[in-house]
Amino acid sequence: MQLAQAGDREAFNALVNDIGPEIMRFLRRRIVDRSELEDTCQETLLAIYQSRHTYQPGRPVEPWVFAIARYVGARHFKTTRARNQFQELSVETSQQGGSSNHGLEIEARQALGALPDKQREAFTMLNIEGLSLAEASTRTGASIGTIKVRAHRAYERLKRLMLA
């Protein structure tokens, strides 16, 4: 890890080869949706790379690595739970039918239309189209972190608009 901190790419590749399978096993116990396991593992490795400056030489690397993996896994869980709750609400709303459903649908469309373009795009791709963060990132050309921020801001704004 010390060599990776100094910018040695081969050292970081060796570190990834050593800890990658362990991280995958660690996350496999925590990630319910197996289709998102590999993406979450990649996010963890990226977070390790981006946080390498926080590693303190002389201390064991494993606790530091798994703390990052635990954080990324928890963040993934929260995002997945929020997405699932939105999808359940969408299904319940569409199954209720009737005129009250029509009014809510119009209100939701208006709130969605009031979002800035980038936030609406991120929200739509993740929650309506069901794309993963990596797929949305690839489609837009924005980083995964940027997509997450846009979607989060969209959620917050929609909550304010719908509850107002």
Side-chain angles (χ1 to χ4, degrees), residues 126-142:
L126 296 176
N127 295 296
I128 297 173
E129 296 177 26
L131 297 179
S132 70
L133 286 166
E135 292 167 333
S137 173
T138 301
R139 186 184 287 182
T140 62

Side-chain angles (χ1 to χ4, degrees), residues 33 35 48 60 74-75 86-87 156:
D33 187 354
S35 66
I48 290 168
R75 190 177 61 205
F86 177 79
Q87 289 172 346
E156 293 302 314

Side-chain angles (χ1 to χ4, degrees), residues 7 10 40 46 50 53 75 94 153:
E10 290 184 26
T40 307
L46 179 62
Q50 291 172 335
H53 67 280
R75 190 177 61 205
S94 67
R153 289 180 179 163

Side-chain angles (χ1 to χ4, degrees), residues 71-85:
Y71 173 77
V72 172
R75 190 177 61 205
H76 172 80
F77 176 76
K78 283 174 43 179
T79 304
T80 302
R81 185 179 60 196
R83 182 177 52 218
N84 289 343
Q85 287 174 343

Side-chain angles (χ1 to χ4, degrees), residues 1-14 49 52:
M1 188 60 196
Q2 290 174 340
L3 293 173
Q5 281 181 312
D8 187 342
R9 289 181 183 203
E10 290 184 26
F12 188 75
N13 284 340
Y49 181 78
R52 68 188 183 281

Side-chain angles (χ1 to χ4, degrees), residues 115-164:
L115 293 175
D117 292 339
K118 301 277 186 185
Q119 290 178 12
R120 182 175 46 251
E121 177 184 47
F123 181 85
T124 302
M125 284 190 287
L126 296 176
N127 295 296
I128 297 173
E129 296 177 26
L131 297 179
S132 70
L133 286 166
E135 292 167 333
S137 173
T138 301
R139 186 184 287 182
T140 62
S143 71
I144 289 175
T146 300
I147 296 296
K148 287 180 180 180
V149 168
R150 289 176 184 169
H152 175 73
R153 289 180 179 163
Y155 301 139
E156 293 302 314
R157 190 161 185 170
L158 284 171
K159 278 195 289 189
R160 284 193 311 270
L161 291 169
M162 296 294 288
L163 297 176

Side-chain angles (χ1 to χ4, degrees), residues 24-41:
M24 186 68 87
R25 278 192 296 277
F26 179 82
L27 292 172
R28 189 174 289 126
R29 287 179 258 149
R30 290 161 174 76
I31 305 297
V32 177
D33 187 354
R34 295 293 182 229
S35 66
E36 295 183 10
L37 179 62
E38 192 169 318
D39 286 344
T40 307
C41 187

